[in-house]
Amino acid sequence: MDARNHEADLDAVIVGAGFAGMYMLHRLRGLGFTARVLEAGSGVGGTWYWNRYPGARCDVESVQYSYQFSSDLQQEWDWTERYAAQPELLRYADHVADRFDLKRDIDFNTRVKSAAFDEAAGRWVIETANGKRLSARFCIMATGCLSSPNLPDFKGLESFKGDRYHTGYWPKEGVDFTGKRVAVIGTGSSAVQSIPIMAAQAAHLTVFQRTANYAVPAHNKALEADYIARVKAEYPTMRARARTTMTGIDFDYSDRAALETSAEDRTREYERRWNHGGLWFLGAFKDLMVSDEANATCADFVRAKIHSRVRDPEIARLLSPTNTIGCKRLCVDIGYYETFNRGNVTLIDVSERPIDAITPEGVRAHGREHKVDAIVFATGFDAMTGALNKIDIRGRGGLALREKWSAGPRAYLGVAMAGFPNLYTITGPGSPSVLTNMLPTIEQHVEWIADSMTYMRDRQLGRIEPVAAAEEEWVGHVGEAASRTLRYTCSSWYLGVNIPGKPRVFMPYIGGFPKYIAKCNDVAAGGYEGFALA
Ligand code: NAP
């Protein structure tokens, strides 16, 4: 460890070297704070370090899914595809780490086991699985929203003799499925991206689907030099526009209502957006996420598209979701539905009867064994709270965060918790995070946290902690905002429903990025209203 960062003078420990932890380190350094990052992986990149499954790529366009804090960085980096694939995103993360000389303050292969607030010293004591112990005035959790893989407790799981993979924990060296019989369990975004590629490789692919998912085409393409030049010239205005949208993405969100538009016009608009590709599709009408009737017009359009893409009408029917479109995260696909036209792909619907068991030789469903050489679990994550709850986090009086959150996460602005002084979470539950473009959301959080630390330093204050009443009010507001939308109505990971026993609480803030930024700015301008400072 660098002598400058000797724990006695360490201002902050940052947990995680994904996009959040990296920028947090850079920002704090620039402000003259000392910080050390602890990272479980052997490199930077977070999500893009772990999710190396075939086909992994972002579903927000690369030119927007990137940092904006450094204009030089923004100008010098050239994205090659509309939606960057995981290797390119990891190269970008690595480039940023090298460009800003971040790695000298990151301990890799270091998993944080516990973090406890020492009240007498006013410092956090952080312990790692490999026996390190650090203390710092601030502890900043940059642990990611979708970083704790969920492996359901299937009967017989351990008996399987073949190879087992989870999309969120993919081997660095990659996997060659050539000539193999492969099972995939799950049909969320990770499966939708990986299934077409695995199907092209494997001898046979058997997909176990519990809930059919809506996917819109990506229309991914290589980016032309003149397009990149245009974006670079317009970056400041594009980024400013993005901050005014609900998702922090520079999209053209319509202010027309589907129910006030004729059926022909509606279809024309859906078709236009379908041909353009990507998540922009759901911005077609303003009432899609608040009115069942409006939503049905959109869902019908996508179901018709699925039927036009899949030759066998029965398979098309099984692949057609019946739930609210956009309730679960919309998937962006490259040839997903067409993959089910291949002769080497079988779809097994387990919506009405769960998978019976994993057997030594495969997967048994509906009483029939499907023999395979490998199983890919595309079964998602214990989202938003999972990574934090894996760490034994103790605040004042030894209060455990797991205990505080036993009935669902409670945090003020998704950034700090009553009972846990000087602890920050970047894109924590109660912040817009996963409902927005993560990069600008991360930057907003990092800058707000750094500003609050500077504010304290300027006034020689040692502690910042949310007041219980302010936290209570924010948690209420987050819940109330969610309950007004259709997103509240399905069994999504936003609600924690994918994890047995997890409280059903809508975790991200759905009020939109601009409203959230305004609230955070007001809180800061009011001398950190809702926080106790001492
Ligand atoms: P996910 O959306 O949670 O999907 C998990 C899948 O596994 C679902 O189909 C789920 O079925 C199924 N599953 C879980 N337990 C099961 C069980 N016991 N038996 C049968 N099926 C089971 O996870 P994900 O695909 O990894 O995606 C998670 C999130 O990560 C996405 O929503 C997105 O936000 C993000 N992501 C983004 C990208 C991107 O940017 N392009 C790519 C991948 C992921 P049910 O639906 O019935 O629960």
Side-chain angles (χ1 to χ4, degrees):
M1 193 186 296
D2 180 326
R4 199 173 56 84
N5 275 339
H6 190 269
E7 70 167 56
D9 52 16
L10 205 52
D11 291 310
V13 162
I14 300 163
V15 185
F19 284 126
M22 286 165 63
Y23 181 40
M24 192 76 242
L25 172 62
H26 177 67
R27 186 78 179 181
L28 289 183
R29 265 196 200 160
L31 292 166
F33 289 104
T34 53
R36 189 105 203 130
V37 180
L38 305 177
E39 165 58 51
S42 64
V44 296
T47 283
W48 305 107
Y49 172 91
W50 300 105
N51 285 265
R52 295 166 190 251
Y53 60 83
R57 62 177 73 241
C58 58
D59 59 6
V60 172
E61 296 191 22
S62 331
V63 296
Q64 299 204 51
Y65 189 86
S66 49
Y67 286 124
Q68 57 190 288
F69 69 82
S70 159
S71 167
D72 289 348
L73 168 66
Q74 197 162 251
Q75 291 298 324
E76 76 199 12
W77 183 266
D78 289 334
W79 292 105
T80 65
E81 289 183 272
R82 182 177 179 189
Y83 298 99
Q86 176 273 336
E88 186 173 7
L89 287 154
L90 197 55
R91 271 200 307 280
Y92 174 71
D94 224 45
H95 167 74
V96 173
D98 290 338
R99 192 190 188 289
F100 297 101
D101 190 20
L102 300 179
K103 290 178 187 166
R104 68 181 157 88
D105 280 328
I106 305 175
D107 289 349
F108 292 108
N109 303 306
T110 302
R111 184 172 286 284
V112 170
K113 200 175 66 176
S114 65
F117 188 63
D118 175 343
E119 286 179 66
R123 293 177 76 83
W124 280 90
V125 178
I126 291 99
E127 291 189 334
T128 72
N130 53 3
K132 280 187 189 150
R133 196 165 193 269
L134 282 85
S135 100
R137 289 177 53 225
F138 296 92
C139 179
I140 304 170
M141 294 295 180
T143 41
C145 297
L146 293 155
S147 48
S148 179
N150 165 43
L151 182 60
D153 188 17
F154 290 106
K155 195 171 143 201
L157 182 63
E158 296 306 327
S159 71
F160 183 60
K161 290 203 216 116
D163 298 321
R164 244 167 61 179
Y165 305 98
H166 191 289
T167 49
Y169 194 73
W170 202 260
K172 265 192 192 161
E173 61 281 10
V175 182
D176 182 6
F177 289 120
T178 308
K180 300 265 170 71
R181 297 162 305 168
V182 182
V184 181
I185 301 180
T187 48
S189 301
S190 303
V192 164
Q193 288 188 332
S194 55
I195 281 171
I197 294 169
M198 294 192 290
Q201 225 180 48
H204 197 92
L205 190 76
T206 308
V207 178
F208 294 86
Q209 172 187 276
R210 187 166 68 181
T211 310
N213 244 318
Y214 295 95
V216 295
H219 297 312
N220 187 39
K221 58 183 178 198
L223 294 179
E224 308 281 342
D226 62 337
Y227 171 78
I228 293 179
R230 214 168 51 242
V231 168
K232 285 186 178 177
E234 287 172 8
Y235 250 135
T237 43
M238 178 184 166
R239 300 293 200 178
R241 263 195 321 266
R243 281 170 86 88
T244 66
T245 73
M246 289 289 278
T247 57
I249 307 175
D250 180 26
F251 268 172
D252 157 25
Y253 288 95
S254 168
D255 57 6
R256 287 195 300 166
L259 297 182
E260 289 163 10
T261 305
S262 71
E264 298 81 66
D265 266 6
R266 237 176 7 224
T267 306
R268 204 173 306 121
E269 183 61 6
Y270 289 139
E271 198 69 56
R272 186 173 79 87
R273 288 181 183 251
W274 183 269
N275 293 333
H276 176 82
L279 296 171
W280 188 60
F281 181 75
L282 269 189
F285 297 102
K286 66 177 182 185
D287 49 353
L288 296 184
M289 292 319 298
V290 289
S291 153
D292 279 317
E293 209 186 323
N295 191 279
T297 66
C298 186
D300 285 345
F301 177 89
V302 178
R303 282 191 285 261
K305 286 288 186 192
I306 296 171
H307 277 269
S308 74
R309 291 169 70 181
V310 179
R311 279 198 297 271
D312 182 327
E314 178 53 14
I315 295 177
R317 186 187 67 77
L318 290 175
L319 287 169
S320 296
T322 50
N323 57 6
T324 303
I325 185 166
C327 189
K328 292 191 177 198
R329 168 89 171 197
L330 184 64
C331 302
V332 177
D333 86 289
I334 301 179
Y336 174 66
Y337 295 113
E338 289 80 359
T339 300
F340 293 88
N341 294 331
R342 296 177 65 104
N344 70 333
V345 176
T346 308
L347 178 67
I348 310 286
D349 176 59
V350 290
S351 58
E352 296 197 349
R353 201 174 133 186
I355 288 169
D356 302 333
I358 306 293
T359 66
E361 294 198 76
V363 182
R364 197 171 64 237
H366 306 297
R368 189 192 145 200
E369 186 179 42
H370 300 265
K371 291 192 176 171
V372 293
D373 305 302
I375 305 177
V376 173
F377 293 89
T379 43
F381 301 88
D382 182 354
M384 303 208 72
T385 55
L388 291 163
N389 280 338
K390 268 190 183 164
I391 303 171
D392 184 12
I393 302 175
R394 305 263 165 178
R396 274 190 295 111
L399 174 66
L401 188 65
R402 290 173 192 147
E403 183 70 22
K404 177 181 166 88
W405 284 3
S406 59
R410 315 181 62 72
Y412 184 37
L413 307 176
V415 81
M417 282 76 68
F420 297 79
N422 297 4
L423 178 76
Y424 295 105
T425 49
I426 302 178
T427 63
S431 75
S433 57
V434 290
L435 300 176
T436 60
N437 181 3
M438 287 303 287
L439 268 287
T441 308
I442 282 170
E443 288 183 313
Q444 184 268 346
H445 262 198
V446 164
E447 288 161 18
W448 190 93
I449 291 168
D451 287 352
S452 72
M453 288 170 62
T454 308
Y455 179 94
M456 291 170 67
R457 182 176 62 188
D458 291 349
R459 288 161 184 75
Q460 295 180 335
L461 296 165
R463 290 189 197 196
I464 181 166
E465 180 187 339
V467 173
E471 179 178 278
E472 185 70 27
E473 197 182 325
W474 183 252
V475 170
H477 174 60
V478 170
E480 200 261 330
S483 68
R484 278 187 267 124
T485 80
L486 297 179
R487 296 227 199 210
Y488 208 60
T489 57
C490 65
S491 57
S492 69
W493 57 258
Y494 297 126
L495 281 153
V497 181
N498 61 328
I499 304 296
K502 190 165 172 170
R504 190 180 191 282
V505 172
F506 196 87
M507 295 179 286
Y509 176 54
I510 206 168
F513 197 34
K515 210 167 156 188
Y516 179 77
I517 297 174
K519 171 73 180 173
C520 289
N521 290 348
D522 285 352
V523 165
Y528 294 89
E529 256 168 24
F531 286 90
L533 292 124

